[in-house]
Amino acid sequence: MTSLEIVTGDITKLKVDVIVNAANNTLLGGGGVDGAIHKAAGKELLVECRSLGGCTTGEAKVTKGYNLPANYFIHTVGPIWKGGQNNESEVLVSCYQKSLLLANSLAVSSIAFPCISTGVYHFPKVIAANLAISAVKQFLKEHKHHLKLIFFCCYIDEDYQQYCTLLKGSNKKG
Ligand code: AR6
């Protein structure tokens, strides 16, 4: 059984095997959660990221966790919201799927996701939360995996409330 948990605050403070980063195509850092991760991890993260050659939107790449207790970061690039008619939902789901596939290949047991694309990339929060939860649940149903604990890390209270509402009443175990 895998437990789905909702937490608030800074994702870099979480004691998990993998922290997912909402990055951009360059993988060379930015603001928001990406900026917080690079700041907390230290300059070596940027050195490794430079060697990766960027990342396509909807895909994911792994690095070490450097100064954080997390063993790895999985950097995924969410879609920029352009009104919803440009495969934004499919691409966002792909971010969660590809990140989980990569985590599974690393045989880790815990992972934390930020609310990908809902900051600077302006993906509507409610749609994004629904897609995030359903993508994770679908993955757990369809794959043999080692994951015991999956965190949805909500930086702002509005996101936290939204995830609580969506998970409440539904089965929190995957
Ligand atoms: N811990 C957890 N969540 C956070 C943190 C944190 N320390 N800081 C912000 N958030 P965003 P995007 C939340 O903008 O929309 C970057 O510049 C935030 O409240 O970080 O995918 C990249 O380089 C929001 O809910 O990512 C890209 O250029 C969520 O993280 C671009 O932003 C995502 O907001 C990616 O945009």
Side-chain angles (χ1 to χ4, degrees):
M1 272 309 221
T2 308
S3 186
L4 307 184
E5 302 290 336
I6 311 158
V7 289
T8 45
D10 184 354
I11 201 166
T12 67
K13 306 286 187 224
L14 293 178
K15 305 271 182 292
V16 282
D17 297 329
V18 177
I19 290 175
V20 177
N21 182 17
N24 58 52
N25 296 121
T26 70
L27 297 185
L28 299 181
V33 69
D34 196 9
I37 282 172
H38 275 267
K39 191 172 172 203
K43 287 190 177 132
E44 279 178 302
L45 174 60
L46 184 58
V47 174
E48 185 175 358
C49 282
R50 280 204 187 100
S51 74
L52 297 178
C55 183
T56 306
T57 306
E59 297 291 329
K61 290 193 176 178
V62 66
T63 65
K64 288 185 271 186
Y66 296 100
N67 292 345
L68 292 197
N71 295 323
Y72 305 102
F73 294 114
I74 289 178
H75 307 265
T76 187
V77 184
I80 299 172
W81 181 260
K82 291 178 181 158
Q85 305 302 314
N86 298 279
N87 291 325
E88 291 96 328
S89 293
E90 291 81 357
V91 176
L92 186 65
V93 166
S94 171
C95 289
Y96 286 89
Q97 288 171 339
K98 296 283 170 71
S99 298
L100 288 165
L101 278 172
L102 203 44
N104 214 18
S105 74
L106 300 166
V108 295
S109 62
S110 59
I111 183 168
F113 284 96
C115 304
I116 300 165
S117 281
T118 63
V120 175
Y121 284 179
H122 293 300
F123 206 108
K125 288 170 175 298
V126 179
I127 307 174
N130 263 304
L131 291 170
I133 291 168
S134 59
V136 167
K137 288 195 163 189
Q138 189 73 15
F139 178 91
L140 296 175
K141 237 189 255 171
E142 289 177 353
H143 295 82
K144 272 197 162 179
H145 63 87
H146 321 272
L147 291 161
K148 297 271 176 265
L149 190 52
I150 299 179
F151 289 106
F152 295 105
C153 179
C154 300
Y155 197 56
I156 54 177
D157 196 52
E158 188 189 342
D159 289 325
Y160 179 77
Q161 298 303 337
Q162 188 58 49
Y163 272 82
C164 289
T165 304
L166 290 172
L167 269 183
K168 196 165 65 182
S170 82
N171 192 354
K172 280 182 73 190
K173 308 279 177 191

